Amino acid sequence: MRQMSAEVHDWLAGRSSSADDWPVEALVAAKGDASVSVVLPAHNEAATVGVIVEMIRETLMRRHSLVDELVVVDSCSTDATAEVARAAGARVVHQHEVLTHLPTLMGKGEALWKGMSATSGDVVAFIDADLIGCPPTFITGLLGPLLMNPKIAYVKGFYRRALVHEGRTEPDGGGRVTELVARPLLNLYWPQLAGFVQPLAGEYAGRREVLEAVPFVAHYGIEIGLLIDLLELVGLDALAQVDLGYRQHRHQSNEALARMSAQIMLTAFTRLARQGIGEVPDSTLLMQFRQSAHGALRDVVTTEIGVPERPPLAKVRAFQ
């Protein structure tokens, strides 16, 4: 049976760590003159965003001077996300009110890109706003390799994710899109990235000059797109991953996961085409079926799953 490549084996041994390996006191001491920004993209996350903001402000800004800037990007929410985040102490920016001279785009990657443009930290950490219980180690774990090792440019988090469905819990049942879509794609076409436990994790951090040098996919292809582009830009040895422990958040429907999967696949195909392998599909429509209320027939739902991209932010700044 074939084993993993020596490169991936060595990378796993040298570039994987645990959040507990990076105590906050050591990070504050190592931080020096560097500044740290934390960005939370949030779409209808009023139930969870406030607790995350309060934790970061109390523990990592007031008690320990590790985080210098905390921004919540309100991504077209229809609930009280912005009000809750602001009341908890975050600076809130609205996605469509940043870089207003550019054409409007939607999606998670767009919120991340706008959030990065609205901050100034030398290191930028991105944290999903739907986390249920976000300990400080989710932030310190991501920042540790960057602040303690100048060779590291980008850090991904990984964790255990339970799947709770109809009263039944699978301790490691989360991450269905990772196992069914992202991992096969990476193993087949970018085997150097095969060692990432959760390539689609929403918690990651990087050096600003590196993050501003790559494009950001506007939708759910953002995570796999960043990994592939950063591998090409800085190489595998500049990438790292950290075990953040246990992650709990709300689960999405199979229909929503299918749309996410299609965007991830399209993002990967776009990068393959740039490398001269294949072509970008002509069709970017996903047709799905829902049980009809009118008998045996099913209702057809068609969704545009195209993945527009923002250019590297450094290029936008240079043009301005």
Side-chain angles (χ1 to χ4, degrees):
M1 183 176 69
R2 290 191 62 184
Q3 303 295 317
M4 73 176 72
S5 70
E7 181 182 20
V8 172
H9 179 274
D10 292 344
W11 179 84
L12 276 169
R15 290 292 185 256
S16 300
S17 61
S18 167
D20 293 335
D21 296 332
W22 312 106
V24 64
E25 295 82 4
L27 300 187
V28 172
K31 179 184 169 186
D33 295 331
S35 55
V36 174
S37 299
V38 175
V39 174
L40 276 70
H43 173 70
N44 291 341
E45 307 296 356
T48 52
V49 68
V51 175
I52 301 172
V53 168
E54 289 174 356
M55 179 279 294
I56 296 172
R57 281 186 57 80
E58 177 59 33
T59 305
L60 302 178
M61 299 180 82
R62 293 195 185 104
R63 191 182 310 164
H64 302 284
S65 299
L66 182 63
V67 174
D68 302 284
E69 187 177 29
L70 172 58
V71 169
V72 171
V73 184
D74 181 20
S75 184
C76 307
S77 298
T78 57
D79 67 359
T81 290
E83 292 80 3
V84 170
R86 192 175 291 112
R91 177 162 69 93
V92 176
V93 299
H94 296 277
Q95 181 172 309
H96 294 332
E97 295 177 1
V98 179
L99 299 176
T100 54
H101 64 287
L102 297 175
T104 299
L105 293 179
M106 302 294 292
K108 179 184 179 182
E110 171 75 350
L112 296 174
W113 192 76
K114 291 289 186 68
M116 183 169 64
S117 72
T119 58
S120 59
D122 301 306
V123 173
V124 184
F126 300 104
I127 306 293
D128 280 348
D130 67 342
L131 295 173
I132 302 171
C134 177
T137 49
F138 267 49
I139 313 292
T140 57
L142 295 173
L143 297 177
L146 292 162
L147 296 178
M148 302 292 280
N149 187 344
K151 294 181 179 180
I152 301 298
Y154 181 73
V155 179
K156 288 283 291 188
F158 69 94
Y159 28 65
R160 298 189 68 190
R161 293 176 63 190
L163 175 63
V164 181
H165 181 66
E166 295 181 350
R168 185 167 54 90
T169 300
E170 296 180 44
D172 291 302
R176 290 164 287 173
V177 176
T178 290
E179 299 305 327
L180 298 176
V181 179
R183 195 177 311 286
L185 280 171
L186 293 177
N187 275 263
L188 289 170
Y189 294 106
W190 295 276
Q192 285 180 292
L193 297 174
F196 278 92
V197 178
Q198 272 155 347
L200 302 184
E203 285 67 48
Y204 39 91
R207 302 191 188 280
R208 176 173 295 274
E209 68 268 21
V210 172
L211 293 171
E212 289 195 359
V214 293
F216 272 50
V217 175
H219 293 290
Y220 281 113
I222 177 63
E223 279 83 19
I224 197 170
L226 281 177
L227 263 187
I228 295 169
D229 293 343
L230 289 171
L231 174 67
E232 181 177 347
L233 179 69
V234 299
L236 182 61
D237 195 51
L239 311 180
Q241 63 179 351
V242 175
D243 186 350
L244 301 179
Y246 178 75
R247 188 189 201 275
Q248 185 178 2
H249 66 137
R250 71 174 187 272
H251 297 290
Q252 302 204 49
S253 67
N254 286 339
E255 187 175 293
L257 293 179
R259 293 191 292 269
M260 185 185 303
S261 299
Q263 290 178 336
I264 290 166
M265 294 171 69
L266 192 55
T267 301
F269 294 156
T270 300
R271 272 120 186 99
L272 287 172
R274 291 174 185 171
Q275 297 173 13
I277 304 173
E279 298 179 352
V280 179
D282 293 331
S283 174
T284 56
L285 292 178
L286 177 66
M287 190 165 65
Q288 298 173 286
F289 298 89
R290 294 176 183 166
Q291 183 63 51
S292 174
H294 307 291
L297 294 177
R298 287 179 176 261
D299 295 327
V300 178
V301 180
T302 304
T303 306
E304 168 61 49
I305 49 90
V307 284
E309 297 183 4
R310 288 298 191 187
L313 187 57
K315 290 186 177 181
V316 175
R317 295 191 192 281
F319 180 79
Q320 287 179 303

